């Protein structure tokens, strides 16, 4: 059977997305020992929904993952559940540091940093284990900090996929409202290629597409009063920098 993860991981701000409960119900429909082909075209989403989906698929076994267009953020480590991972020739694979929203004094924010670091280490370990020695976890952590977008060949070279499949005509899973909403999954992306906005193949991205990508390069905003602060969408490294400045 085929299982499609063609949306945000977990419910997004529009009430849409692929949840762990949905995946569980779909897996319950499969016959015993039947191969599950998981097709991914997702910008990622909630890390804990992603962990639950990853664990369910790993326990189930006999999983073939096909990255049809985009496996970004949480969707990238969900893909690591595959016994075989195939990425379409024109697909992309993106990894980055976990991010969150937090508030409180510096001690509370320091705890948040520790939790983000633990999540990043866990995700990097998944990539490293799947890569089979091609890259270690430290290298993947550096890739995550830089928000790295892999082409199909680069993903195979890094050990994140086993082989390149045929070129597919599948639109990238980035809906227009996601580009306008600062609380969307895509709001934390810094290096997204303009071509993933669904421009026709081989065409130069329009000015509107380029402007939308530029708008995604959001900066962390801090509003501090006394010892309290509100932090919007920080990565661990960015939060550490701003926390040091508050001391």
């Amino acid at each position: 059977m085929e299982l499609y993860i063609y949306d945000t991981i977990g419910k997004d701000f529009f009430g849409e997305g692929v949840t762990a409960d949905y995946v569980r119900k779909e897996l319950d429909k499969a016959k015993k020992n039947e191969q599950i082909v998981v097709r991914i075209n997702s910008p990622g989403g909630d890390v804990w929904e992603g962990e639950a989906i990853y664990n369910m698929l790993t326990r189930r076994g006999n999983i073939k993952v096909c990255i049809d267009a985009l496996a970004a953020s949480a969707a990238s480590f969900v893909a690591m559940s595959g016994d075989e991972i195939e990425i379409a020739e024109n697909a992309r694979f993106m990894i980055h540091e976990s991010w969150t929203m937090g508030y409180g004094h510096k001690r509370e924010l320091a705890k948040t940093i520790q939790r983000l670091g633990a999540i990043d280490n866990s995700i990097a370990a998944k990539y490293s284990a799947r890569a089979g020695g091609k890259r270690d976890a430290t290298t993947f952590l550096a890739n995550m900090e830089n928000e790295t977008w892999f082409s199909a060949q680069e993903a195979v070279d890094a050990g994140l996929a086993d082989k390149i499949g045929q070129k597919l005509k599948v639109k990238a899973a980035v809906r227009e409202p996601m580009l306008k909403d600062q609380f969307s999954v895509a709001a934390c992306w810094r290096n997204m290629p303009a071509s993933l906005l669904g421009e026709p193949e081989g065409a130069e991205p329009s000015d509107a597409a380029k402007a939308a990508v530029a708008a995604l390069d959001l900066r962390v905003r801090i509003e501090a009063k006394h010892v309290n602060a509100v932090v919007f969408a920080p990565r661990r490294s960015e939060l550490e920098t701003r926390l040091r400045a508050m001391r």
Side-chain angles (χ1 to χ4, degrees):
M1 68 171 287
E2 291 189 327
L3 170 65
Y4 283 83
I5 300 180
Y6 264 35
D7 209 329
T8 304
I9 304 293
K11 290 186 178 180
D12 60 17
F13 288 93
F14 308 101
E16 301 175 350
V18 177
T19 65
D21 189 54
Y22 163 79
V23 172
R24 178 187 62 80
K25 291 176 180 177
E26 290 299 299
L27 292 178
D28 285 345
K29 300 175 184 177
K31 299 177 182 178
K32 187 177 181 180
N33 300 322
E34 179 182 6
Q35 184 182 56
I36 310 296
V37 178
V38 180
R39 294 193 170 275
I40 297 178
N41 180 29
S42 171
D46 185 87
V47 66
W48 301 119
E49 287 286 327
E51 288 281 10
I53 294 171
Y54 167 85
N55 289 332
M56 274 191 287
L57 294 175
T58 301
R59 285 196 302 268
R60 174 62 168 69
N62 199 11
I63 303 294
K64 178 180 179 179
V65 168
C66 294
I67 300 171
D68 287 345
L70 177 63
S73 189
S76 68
F77 69 77
V78 168
M80 298 297 97
S81 63
D83 299 296
E84 178 185 352
I85 304 174
E86 178 181 300
I87 182 168
E89 180 186 347
N90 57 337
R92 291 295 187 106
F93 190 100
M94 186 274 275
I95 66 177
H96 68 164
E97 289 183 310
S98 55
W99 64 284
T100 188
M101 299 169 66
Y103 62 91
H105 51 62
K106 61 181 181 292
R107 292 183 300 280
E108 291 173 337
L109 293 178
K111 292 177 182 178
T112 299
I113 291 172
Q114 292 178 345
R115 287 192 288 268
L116 288 173
I119 292 171
D120 289 343
N121 289 336
S122 174
I123 294 172
K126 290 182 176 64
Y127 299 141
S128 179
R130 191 58 179 74
K134 288 187 176 181
R135 294 191 186 187
D136 59 19
T138 301
T139 301
F140 280 116
L141 283 170
N143 293 149
M144 291 163 66
E145 184 172 350
N146 293 327
E147 187 188 288
T148 303
W149 292 77
F150 297 87
S151 66
Q153 187 59 59
E154 289 168 341
V156 171
D157 292 343
L160 297 170
D162 299 310
K163 64 180 181 179
I164 298 175
Q166 65 180 355
K167 198 171 187 177
L168 301 176
K169 293 182 179 180
V170 180
K171 185 178 180 181
V174 182
R175 295 190 302 274
E176 195 66 25
M178 294 177 63
L179 303 178
K180 299 176 180 179
D181 189 340
Q182 63 180 357
F183 296 106
S184 74
V185 171
C188 68
W189 293 355
R190 296 176 293 186
N191 304 321
M192 189 182 86
S195 60
L196 294 187
L197 291 176
E199 290 294 312
E201 183 180 347
E204 177 68 17
S206 66
D207 290 340
K210 292 178 180 178
V213 172
L216 291 177
D217 188 19
L218 302 179
R219 294 291 178 262
V220 174
R221 294 183 291 107
I222 291 185
E223 300 171 359
K225 286 187 178 181
H226 305 295
V227 296
N228 292 315
V230 176
V231 182
F232 170 71
R235 291 175 178 78
R236 177 173 54 85
S237 55
E238 293 170 340
L239 186 54
E240 287 173 339
T241 299
R242 284 154 180 77
L243 184 56
R244 285 194 296 269
M246 291 172 58
R247 289 173 176 167

